[in-house]
Amino acid sequence: MKSNNSKFPRVIIIGGGFGGIQLAKRLKDKEVEVLMIDRHNYHTFQPLLYQVATGALEADSIAFPLRKIFQHQKNFKFRVANVTQINSESNTISTSIGDFEYDYLVLATGSETNFFGQKEIEHYSMPMKTVPEALNLRSMILQNFEEAVMETDEQVKEALLNFVIVGAGPTGVETAGALAELKKHVLPSDYSELDFSKMKIYLVEGANRVLPPFSEQASRKAQSFLEEMGVDVLTNTMVDQYDGKVISFKDGKTIRTNNVVWSAGVKGAVIPGIDKAQIVRGGRIKTTTYNLIEGYNNIFAIGDVSYMEVEKFPNGHPGVAQVAIQQGQQLGDNLIRLINNEEVKPFDYFDKGSMATVGRNKAVVDLKFWKFQGFFAWLTWMFIHLLFLAGFRNKLVTLMNWIVNYFSQDRGTRLIIRRFNRQTMKEEAEAF
Amino acid sequence: MKSNNSKFPRVIIIGGGFGGIQLAKRLKDKEVEVLMIDRHNYHTFQPLLYQVATGALEADSIAFPLRKIFQHQKNFKFRVANVTQINSESNTISTSIGDFEYDYLVLATGSETNFFGQKEIEHYSMPMKTVPEALNLRSMILQNFEEAVMETDEQVKEALLNFVIVGAGPTGVETAGALAELKKHVLPSDYSELDFSKMKIYLVEGANRVLPPFSEQASRKAQSFLEEMGVDVLTNTMVDQYDGKVISFKDGKTIRTNNVVWSAGVKGAVIPGIDKAQIVRGGRIKTTTYNLIEGYNNIFAIGDVSYMEVEKFPNGHPGVAQVAIQQGQQLGDNLIRLINNEEVKPFDYFDKGSMATVGRNKAVVDLKFWKFQGFFAWLTWMFIHLLFLAGFRNKLVTLMNWIVNYFSQDRGTRLIIRRFNRQTMKEEAEAF
């Protein structure tokens, strides 16, 4: 048992995502001891995972060592561990490296891929929420092309070349666009033995338009960008089954494919020990307006894993980085207020807008009073993503890659560093 | 069976290292069909693997897609496969993806780590000849620091912090220097809970000086650089045993360590099917002066796997990139001469010199008529390595990393992307 020997209360933050980092930073130089626990020793910049999966960026340029962020924060400690249980009656958590006592506990665990209970789809399709998952997807795509070159059965070859991306949120749209660019500019010269007119990219969405949370103008434009680039967009289409070879939809349509990317939904990454009555839609945990989990007096949830119903957001806040960032900052201030017996302030989300990129010179940006698409939107998207990417080295390397990719129309990291193997991938994910 | 349906003879090159690439390039636009087979879809720039292992560079900037190198070479084909057997009587090779017929076969398979038959050392120490091995080493180093933070037993903690690098060739010297820089500039701020005066770095060499193939002047200077940086250099020291916790030497000395990097030797990466009588010292294959394996008329070996005795090199050529590059070029020309029934020319190695870097502003360069050390040697080392690194993107990203590392004294990629696990590492290595 790691007790708190400091004279200050101990705040344990589970998760080093956007929310956890902001919260910990906000507690700098305050009279608390901060302990952050994450399964990884790095922060993942999830918005760019799709560029890792499609060979445009190195994994290492969108991951940033968590210890480095807090090098100069004296009241901060970090541990790499898997948290297995919250024991609220004893104010402790159980982890893969032992138990820890807390005075305040913050769940900043984010979200995980939601397969809606469909085990077969979970087994055969590729999620993309972590760096290892993005690298697995990159390897799988390239291995399937290597296999297609050798394949003589036309149907099997077709399945190796076809891609189906399920879910047309920003991740789905961006992945489909990046694959279309690979198909147009990169793959034909790498695999001159293959007929690329046979490679199809399908983007499948259950709603009636791509980017459902965006403005209709952005949706329309994103869809026309995708279609220009050769992506088949299937809206109002729900997946029925996928057995690793053929994906079938509720409307009876089927597509032969070995490559299904699953970006159709997320659910809160909940740790056992939280009262199940507080876990609501999307596996998120119900909190008060200052992120306290209902029914507890010292356990909080922020970001994707939290569910806060307010007038402006009757179904909870969107699962985006900005909500996590702002909740982390706000909770940091509120924790200090709580400790000082001051009144806490309710969270009020300031929506800075949304954006998604489809391809070269093609992006959509929705701001509150201004919606624009095309080249300037694409520049804005790049600028904002560079701005939020942690660390000078990462920004610089990412910018260099983008410049080279832009002028060469190439994607330099099409490497199978570790072979993808469905079995070992699943074991690896479960082991930790 | 993949027969050769082209009207030109088929040259199969096994291995996309320095030698294989040069050979294939030399055959561009010639009347041959070239098929390259490699276990990986990328070329590895082995001289910089140690920078990947020590968090200075991304893996993706020292790996280059092999298909990209030959995009514009029409007579070139590539396959990712593991070659399991050479069947010289039928002029075929067996691979993990089927059999292939050849007219000319070139083994450019390079070398692999030589543990000199010591199974226990092989199990517990870390080789560094491939990108996945360098990434495993990076993960292991960082995991051991994370563990040391938690450890309360002082002896166990000491073992987690101590490093022993066995073999003081360029790789060993460079790794020891890079670890000394991590210890000095990076780790203490990441792990402020640890006492870094307890971290020791030992560089162990059986010969009486570091960098044995270099000039004595270079050796002396490299050793004094290392000692300045806090590395304990143990020459005339042979490893006896290593059980994962304690390494013991023939002179009876022991060091408690969980971190042993094995760079003490290599052996030729030989494929079954070659007459064992031709396999000589260091597991290399004996060839004529134009790289034909003795006893065969259409099977060749170049680079590290080949052993060519000439007057200037009575024990074979050194296992360095330059030999592989020059032999690849020469064999390319000789194959065309053979096909045209012209006389082949014997190989004559032009030694361009050797260099190794120890740390910031510290390197040694041995040219034929000029030996120099220090800052200018370090600049030369960087320039030459950038020059030989394949691809503009890789050069640019590497240069950016070096500039950032130089000014920040930091190492940005200290990431545990995939956890190191001795068991799965071994399985992975054996599986492919």
Side-chain angles (χ1 to χ4, degrees), chain A residues 246-267:
Chain A
V246 175
I247 189 167
S248 61
F249 303 99
K250 302 267 194 219
D251 62 7
K253 190 175 160 57
T254 61
I255 298 170
R256 211 176 279 281
T257 179
N258 283 24
N259 309 287
V260 171
V261 180
W262 190 260
S263 56
V266 296
K267 59 181 178 191

PDB file of all heavy atoms in Angstrom, chain A residues 246-267:
ATOM      1  N   VAL A 246     -16.379 -10.974 -45.547  1.00  0.00           N
ATOM      2  CA  VAL A 246     -17.500 -10.272 -46.167  1.00  0.00           C
ATOM      3  C   VAL A 246     -18.225  -9.475 -45.089  1.00  0.00           C
ATOM      4  O   VAL A 246     -18.544 -10.012 -44.025  1.00  0.00           O
ATOM      5  CB  VAL A 246     -18.483 -11.274 -46.822  1.00  0.00           C
ATOM      6  CG1 VAL A 246     -19.718 -10.539 -47.359  1.00  0.00           C
ATOM      7  CG2 VAL A 246     -17.804 -12.065 -47.933  1.00  0.00           C
ATOM      8  N   ILE A 247     -18.465  -8.193 -45.366  1.00  0.00           N
ATOM      9  CA  ILE A 247     -19.252  -7.382 -44.438  1.00  0.00           C
ATOM     10  C   ILE A 247     -20.652  -7.249 -45.021  1.00  0.00           C
ATOM     11  O   ILE A 247     -20.819  -7.057 -46.231  1.00  0.00           O
ATOM     12  CB  ILE A 247     -18.592  -6.000 -44.193  1.00  0.00           C
ATOM     13  CG1 ILE A 247     -19.305  -5.243 -43.065  1.00  0.00           C
ATOM     14  CG2 ILE A 247     -18.513  -5.164 -45.458  1.00  0.00           C
ATOM     15  CD1 ILE A 247     -18.530  -4.028 -42.550  1.00  0.00           C
ATOM     16  N   SER A 248     -21.665  -7.443 -44.164  1.00  0.00           N
ATOM     17  CA  SER A 248     -23.034  -7.319 -44.660  1.00  0.00           C
ATOM     18  C   SER A 248     -23.752  -6.221 -43.887  1.00  0.00           C
ATOM     19  O   SER A 248     -23.432  -5.938 -42.730  1.00  0.00           O
ATOM     20  CB  SER A 248     -23.770  -8.645 -44.530  1.00  0.00           C
ATOM     21  OG  SER A 248     -23.835  -9.017 -43.174  1.00  0.00           O
ATOM     22  N   PHE A 249     -24.687  -5.581 -44.589  1.00  0.00           N
ATOM     23  CA  PHE A 249     -25.411  -4.451 -44.018  1.00  0.00           C
ATOM     24  C   PHE A 249     -26.868  -4.832 -43.823  1.00  0.00           C
ATOM     25  O   PHE A 249     -27.360  -5.795 -44.418  1.00  0.00           O
ATOM     26  CB  PHE A 249     -25.259  -3.234 -44.943  1.00  0.00           C
ATOM     27  CG  PHE A 249     -23.807  -2.884 -45.171  1.00  0.00           C
ATOM     28  CD1 PHE A 249     -23.138  -3.288 -46.324  1.00  0.00           C
ATOM     29  CD2 PHE A 249     -23.094  -2.199 -44.197  1.00  0.00           C
ATOM     30  CE1 PHE A 249     -21.792  -3.003 -46.519  1.00  0.00           C
ATOM     31  CE2 PHE A 249     -21.747  -1.904 -44.381  1.00  0.00           C
ATOM     32  CZ  PHE A 249     -21.097  -2.305 -45.535  1.00  0.00           C
ATOM     33  N   LYS A 250     -27.540  -4.047 -42.981  1.00  0.00           N
ATOM     34  CA  LYS A 250     -28.952  -4.338 -42.656  1.00  0.00           C
ATOM     35  C   LYS A 250     -29.829  -4.307 -43.907  1.00  0.00           C
ATOM     36  O   LYS A 250     -30.854  -4.976 -43.960  1.00  0.00           O
ATOM     37  CB  LYS A 250     -29.488  -3.311 -41.638  1.00  0.00           C
ATOM     38  CG  LYS A 250     -28.702  -3.259 -40.333  1.00  0.00           C
ATOM     39  CD  LYS A 250     -29.273  -4.155 -39.247  1.00  0.00           C
ATOM     40  CE  LYS A 250     -28.651  -3.773 -37.897  1.00  0.00           C
ATOM     41  NZ  LYS A 250     -28.339  -4.928 -37.038  1.00  0.00           N
ATOM     42  N   ASP A 251     -29.428  -3.527 -44.919  1.00  0.00           N
ATOM     43  CA  ASP A 251     -30.236  -3.444 -46.139  1.00  0.00           C
ATOM     44  C   ASP A 251     -29.940  -4.592 -47.099  1.00  0.00           C
ATOM     45  O   ASP A 251     -30.432  -4.609 -48.229  1.00  0.00           O
ATOM     46  CB  ASP A 251     -30.026  -2.096 -46.834  1.00  0.00           C
ATOM     47  CG  ASP A 251     -28.572  -1.884 -47.283  1.00  0.00           C
ATOM     48  OD1 ASP A 251     -27.767  -2.844 -47.170  1.00  0.00           O
ATOM     49  OD2 ASP A 251     -28.233  -0.773 -47.728  1.00  0.00           O
ATOM     50  N   GLY A 252     -29.111  -5.549 -46.668  1.00  0.00           N
ATOM     51  CA  GLY A 252     -28.870  -6.731 -47.492  1.00  0.00           C
ATOM     52  C   GLY A 252     -27.633  -6.660 -48.362  1.00  0.00           C
ATOM     53  O   GLY A 252     -27.129  -7.675 -48.848  1.00  0.00           O
ATOM     54  N   LYS A 253     -27.105  -5.452 -48.574  1.00  0.00           N
ATOM     55  CA  LYS A 253     -25.897  -5.286 -49.379  1.00  0.00           C
ATOM     56  C   LYS A 253     -24.709  -5.980 -48.697  1.00  0.00           C
ATOM     57  O   LYS A 253     -24.652  -6.049 -47.468  1.00  0.00           O
ATOM     58  CB  LYS A 253     -25.615  -3.780 -49.505  1.00  0.00           C
ATOM     59  CG  LYS A 253     -24.533  -3.399 -50.506  1.00  0.00           C
ATOM     60  CD  LYS A 253     -24.453  -1.872 -50.605  1.00  0.00           C
ATOM     61  CE  LYS A 253     -23.125  -1.381 -51.168  1.00  0.00           C
ATOM     62  NZ  LYS A 253     -22.749  -1.883 -52.484  1.00  0.00           N
ATOM     63  N   THR A 254     -23.787  -6.502 -49.493  1.00  0.00           N
ATOM     64  CA  THR A 254     -22.571  -7.085 -48.925  1.00  0.00           C
ATOM     65  C   THR A 254     -21.351  -6.565 -49.683  1.00  0.00           C
ATOM     66  O   THR A 254     -21.443  -6.208 -50.863  1.00  0.00           O
ATOM     67  CB  THR A 254     -22.552  -8.628 -49.019  1.00  0.00           C
ATOM     68  OG1 THR A 254     -22.600  -8.994 -50.409  1.00  0.00           O
ATOM     69  CG2 THR A 254     -23.725  -9.265 -48.277  1.00  0.00           C
ATOM     70  N   ILE A 255     -20.214  -6.501 -49.002  1.00  0.00           N
ATOM     71  CA  ILE A 255     -18.944  -6.135 -49.647  1.00  0.00           C
ATOM     72  C   ILE A 255     -17.882  -7.124 -49.186  1.00  0.00           C
ATOM     73  O   ILE A 255     -17.761  -7.414 -48.003  1.00  0.00           O
ATOM     74  CB  ILE A 255     -18.507  -4.697 -49.255  1.00  0.00           C
ATOM     75  CG1 ILE A 255     -19.540  -3.669 -49.734  1.00  0.00           C
ATOM     76  CG2 ILE A 255     -17.133  -4.375 -49.843  1.00  0.00           C
ATOM     77  CD1 ILE A 255     -19.326  -2.264 -49.181  1.00  0.00           C
ATOM     78  N   ARG A 256     -17.130  -7.627 -50.156  1.00  0.00           N
ATOM     79  CA  ARG A 256     -16.022  -8.532 -49.881  1.00  0.00           C
ATOM     80  C   ARG A 256     -14.811  -7.700 -49.442  1.00  0.00           C
ATOM     81  O   ARG A 256     -14.316  -6.898 -50.230  1.00  0.00           O
ATOM     82  CB  ARG A 256     -15.697  -9.255 -51.182  1.00  0.00           C
ATOM     83  CG  ARG A 256     -15.167 -10.630 -51.078  1.00  0.00           C
ATOM     84  CD  ARG A 256     -15.008 -11.225 -52.458  1.00  0.00           C
ATOM     85  NE  ARG A 256     -16.262 -11.740 -52.997  1.00  0.00           N
ATOM     86  CZ  ARG A 256     -16.786 -12.914 -52.652  1.00  0.00           C
ATOM     87  NH1 ARG A 256     -16.176 -13.685 -51.795  1.00  0.00           N
ATOM     88  NH2 ARG A 256     -17.929 -13.311 -53.169  1.00  0.00           N
ATOM     89  N   THR A 257     -14.344  -7.868 -48.222  1.00  0.00           N
ATOM     90  CA  THR A 257     -13.188  -7.078 -47.772  1.00  0.00           C
ATOM     91  C   THR A 257     -12.465  -7.723 -46.589  1.00  0.00           C
ATOM     92  O   THR A 257     -13.103  -8.293 -45.714  1.00  0.00           O
ATOM     93  CB  THR A 257     -13.607  -5.642 -47.378  1.00  0.00           C
ATOM     94  OG1 THR A 257     -12.437  -4.935 -46.933  1.00  0.00           O
ATOM     95  CG2 THR A 257     -14.636  -5.629 -46.252  1.00  0.00           C
ATOM     96  N   ASN A 258     -11.158  -7.620 -46.620  1.00  0.00           N
ATOM     97  CA  ASN A 258     -10.337  -8.029 -45.473  1.00  0.00           C
ATOM     98  C   ASN A 258     -10.010  -6.857 -44.568  1.00  0.00           C
ATOM     99  O   ASN A 258      -9.337  -7.026 -43.560  1.00  0.00           O
ATOM    100  CB  ASN A 258      -9.009  -8.629 -45.949  1.00  0.00           C
ATOM    101  CG  ASN A 258      -9.155 -10.043 -46.450  1.00  0.00           C
ATOM    102  OD1 ASN A 258     -10.240 -10.436 -46.864  1.00  0.00           O
ATOM    103  ND2 ASN A 258      -8.075 -10.811 -46.398  1.00  0.00           N
ATOM    104  N   ASN A 259     -10.394  -5.636 -44.996  1.00  0.00           N
ATOM    105  CA  ASN A 259      -9.969  -4.427 -44.287  1.00  0.00           C
ATOM    106  C   ASN A 259     -11.176  -3.646 -43.798  1.00  0.00           C
ATOM    107  O   ASN A 259     -11.765  -2.881 -44.561  1.00  0.00           O
ATOM    108  CB  ASN A 259      -9.162  -3.517 -45.222  1.00  0.00           C
ATOM    109  CG  ASN A 259      -8.034  -4.256 -45.924  1.00  0.00           C
ATOM    110  OD1 ASN A 259      -7.037  -4.597 -45.310  1.00  0.00           O
ATOM    111  ND2 ASN A 259      -8.218  -4.522 -47.228  1.00  0.00           N
ATOM    112  N   VAL A 260     -11.556  -3.840 -42.542  1.00  0.00           N
ATOM    113  CA  VAL A 260     -12.623  -3.035 -41.968  1.00  0.00           C
ATOM    114  C   VAL A 260     -12.059  -2.213 -40.825  1.00  0.00           C
ATOM    115  O   VAL A 260     -11.480  -2.754 -39.884  1.00  0.00           O
ATOM    116  CB  VAL A 260     -13.798  -3.916 -41.481  1.00  0.00           C
ATOM    117  CG1 VAL A 260     -14.799  -3.080 -40.676  1.00  0.00           C
ATOM    118  CG2 VAL A 260     -14.497  -4.572 -42.670  1.00  0.00           C
ATOM    119  N   VAL A 261     -12.181  -0.891 -40.953  1.00  0.00           N
ATOM    120  CA  VAL A 261     -11.756   0.017 -39.886  1.00  0.00           C
ATOM    121  C   VAL A 261     -13.008   0.432 -39.131  1.00  0.00           C
ATOM    122  O   VAL A 261     -13.977   0.892 -39.739  1.00  0.00           O
ATOM    123  CB  VAL A 261     -11.041   1.259 -40.460  1.00  0.00           C
ATOM    124  CG1 VAL A 261     -10.605   2.187 -39.335  1.00  0.00           C
ATOM    125  CG2 VAL A 261      -9.854   0.839 -41.316  1.00  0.00           C
ATOM    126  N   TRP A 262     -12.993   0.248 -37.815  1.00  0.00           N
ATOM    127  CA  TRP A 262     -14.186   0.490 -37.019  1.00  0.00           C
ATOM    128  C   TRP A 262     -14.057   1.810 -36.264  1.00  0.00           C
ATOM    129  O   TRP A 262     -13.333   1.909 -35.279  1.00  0.00           O
ATOM    130  CB  TRP A 262     -14.383  -0.663 -36.028  1.00  0.00           C
ATOM    131  CG  TRP A 262     -15.723  -0.618 -35.335  1.00  0.00           C
ATOM    132  CD1 TRP A 262     -15.973  -0.143 -34.082  1.00  0.00           C
ATOM    133  CD2 TRP A 262     -16.975  -1.059 -35.855  1.00  0.00           C
ATOM    134  NE1 TRP A 262     -17.310  -0.258 -33.790  1.00  0.00           N
ATOM    135  CE2 TRP A 262     -17.955  -0.820 -34.867  1.00  0.00           C
ATOM    136  CE3 TRP A 262     -17.371  -1.624 -37.078  1.00  0.00           C
ATOM    137  CZ2 TRP A 262     -19.305  -1.144 -35.056  1.00  0.00           C
ATOM    138  CZ3 TRP A 262     -18.717  -1.938 -37.258  1.00  0.00           C
ATOM    139  CH2 TRP A 262     -19.658  -1.695 -36.254  1.00  0.00           C
ATOM    140  N   SER A 263     -14.741   2.825 -36.749  1.00  0.00           N
ATOM    141  CA  SER A 263     -14.723   4.116 -36.055  1.00  0.00           C
ATOM    142  C   SER A 263     -16.161   4.555 -35.830  1.00  0.00           C
ATOM    143  O   SER A 263     -16.495   5.724 -35.953  1.00  0.00           O
ATOM    144  CB  SER A 263     -13.941   5.146 -36.872  1.00  0.00           C
ATOM    145  OG  SER A 263     -14.478   5.270 -38.168  1.00  0.00           O
ATOM    146  N   ALA A 264     -17.004   3.567 -35.471  1.00  0.00           N
ATOM    147  CA  ALA A 264     -18.444   3.818 -35.417  1.00  0.00           C
ATOM    148  C   ALA A 264     -18.931   4.232 -34.041  1.00  0.00           C
ATOM    149  O   ALA A 264     -20.108   4.535 -33.877  1.00  0.00           O
ATOM    150  CB  ALA A 264     -19.200   2.572 -35.877  1.00  0.00           C
ATOM    151  N   GLY A 265     -18.045   4.246 -33.058  1.00  0.00           N
ATOM    152  CA  GLY A 265     -18.548   4.684 -31.762  1.00  0.00           C
ATOM    153  C   GLY A 265     -17.581   4.418 -30.646  1.00  0.00           C
ATOM    154  O   GLY A 265     -16.640   3.633 -30.795  1.00  0.00           O
ATOM    155  N   VAL A 266     -17.790   5.128 -29.549  1.00  0.00           N
ATOM    156  CA  VAL A 266     -16.938   4.941 -28.374  1.00  0.00           C
ATOM    157  C   VAL A 266     -17.828   4.775 -27.151  1.00  0.00           C
ATOM    158  O   VAL A 266     -19.019   5.083 -27.186  1.00  0.00           O
ATOM    159  CB  VAL A 266     -15.988   6.135 -28.162  1.00  0.00           C
ATOM    160  CG1 VAL A 266     -15.016   6.267 -29.316  1.00  0.00           C
ATOM    161  CG2 VAL A 266     -16.765   7.427 -27.962  1.00  0.00           C
ATOM    162  N   LYS A 267     -17.214   4.275 -26.096  1.00  0.00           N
ATOM    163  CA  LYS A 267     -17.908   4.208 -24.806  1.00  0.00           C
ATOM    164  C   LYS A 267     -16.910   4.600 -23.722  1.00  0.00           C
ATOM    165  O   LYS A 267     -15.693   4.476 -23.912  1.00  0.00           O
ATOM    166  CB  LYS A 267     -18.462   2.805 -24.573  1.00  0.00           C
ATOM    167  CG  LYS A 267     -17.411   1.719 -24.572  1.00  0.00           C
ATOM    168  CD  LYS A 267     -18.020   0.332 -24.361  1.00  0.00           C
ATOM    169  CE  LYS A 267     -16.923  -0.721 -24.421  1.00  0.00           C
ATOM    170  NZ  LYS A 267     -17.427  -2.087 -24.480  1.00  0.00           N
TER     171      LYS A 267
END
